[in-house]
Amino acid sequence: YLNNLLHFFMKGDKMNFDVLKGKIITRIAGLEKDSDSVLFYCLDGSVYEMYHEQDCCESVTIEDVCGDVTDLLNVPILVAEESIQEGESREISYKSQTWTFYKLATIKGSVDIRWYGESNGYYSERVSFITIKAPSKETITDVPSKTALMGVE
């Protein structure tokens, strides 16, 4: 409930997921099974949130995360894709179901995030992707060295 209230008052701009392509993610929070919110912190100061605003008579959470999440950190994102598949639920209490798949890849590897939502057919099962904090106005001219990103320098 608190998460929904925060989104109501602090709602960021809705974005396409592919905005992450070319970004360097430095931190990810909440990327785990049964989560309903993931935060992506980027080197340029931007912060994005992937979430579902829960409502009555529906449930939408991360069903699975496949891949090593650390492969996404401190290198440019090469692939940022979303795909959606809808169908009828096998559960008697729900009529509709939606799977939303997100793929992120870097030179180090890839991660697939699978969200699963089900509802009575009236409520949304969609995942939102919004900007929480816009990129800094300062441009980054030098990408930190590998040792700097590892905290070795």
Side-chain angles (χ1 to χ4, degrees), residues 88-150:
E88 289 190 20
S89 179
R90 295 184 188 138
E91 296 290 325
I92 295 171
S93 58
Y94 291 110
K95 280 176 85 173
S96 172
Q97 59 188 2
T98 302
W99 294 270
T100 308
F101 301 89
Y102 293 93
K103 181 177 191 75
L104 289 167
T106 69
I107 196 165
K108 297 190 316 185
S110 66
V111 172
D112 294 313
I113 307 163
R114 179 170 50 110
W115 288 73
Y116 176 70
E118 56 187 0
S119 78
N120 63 5
Y122 179 75
Y123 294 94
S124 172
E125 302 155 13
R126 295 294 175 121
V127 178
S128 296
F129 189 76
I130 62 171
T131 303
I132 298 293
K133 183 179 176 197
S136 300
K137 294 197 190 285
E138 302 170 1
T139 58
I140 298 172
T141 55
D142 296 319
V143 174
S145 68
K146 184 177 180 181
T147 53
L149 290 171
M150 295 171 54

Side-chain angles (χ1 to χ4, degrees):
Y1 173 78
L2 182 58
N3 201 24
N4 287 348
L5 192 59
L6 286 172
H7 284 117
F8 180 77
F9 289 108
M10 299 176 60
K11 193 172 271 186
D13 293 329
K14 287 195 176 188
M15 305 295 292
N16 288 329
F17 185 68
D18 64 0
V19 73
L20 288 178
K21 190 172 181 181
K23 297 270 187 183
I24 297 175
I25 299 172
T26 58
R27 182 173 163 235
I28 301 173
L31 186 53
E32 57 197 34
K33 184 174 172 47
D34 297 325
S35 176
D36 65 356
S37 174
V38 181
L39 293 171
F40 297 92
Y41 298 85
C42 299
L43 186 62
D44 65 4
S46 59
V47 180
Y48 299 94
E49 183 178 19
M50 174 189 294
Y51 74 99
H52 175 75
E53 199 164 319
Q54 298 290 348
D55 210 334
C56 170
C57 306
E58 49 96 329
S59 172
V60 181
T61 58
I62 294 176
E63 182 73 16
D64 188 38
V65 178
C66 185
D68 185 349
V69 176
T70 62
D71 286 347
L72 303 178
L73 301 177
N74 302 315
V75 291
I77 298 295
L78 303 174
V79 175
E81 300 173 341
E82 173 192 58
S83 62
I84 299 169
Q85 180 180 351
E86 297 176 338
E88 289 190 20
S89 179
R90 295 184 188 138
E91 296 290 325
I92 295 171
S93 58
Y94 291 110
K95 280 176 85 173
S96 172
Q97 59 188 2
T98 302
W99 294 270
T100 308
F101 301 89
Y102 293 93
K103 181 177 191 75
L104 289 167
T106 69
I107 196 165
K108 297 190 316 185
S110 66
V111 172
D112 294 313
I113 307 163
R114 179 170 50 110
W115 288 73
Y116 176 70
E118 56 187 0
S119 78
N120 63 5
Y122 179 75
Y123 294 94
S124 172
E125 302 155 13
R126 295 294 175 121
V127 178
S128 296
F129 189 76
I130 62 171
T131 303
I132 298 293
K133 183 179 176 197
S136 300
K137 294 197 190 285
E138 302 170 1
T139 58
I140 298 172
T141 55
D142 296 319
V143 174
S145 68
K146 184 177 180 181
T147 53
L149 290 171
M150 295 171 54
V152 177
E153 286 191 332

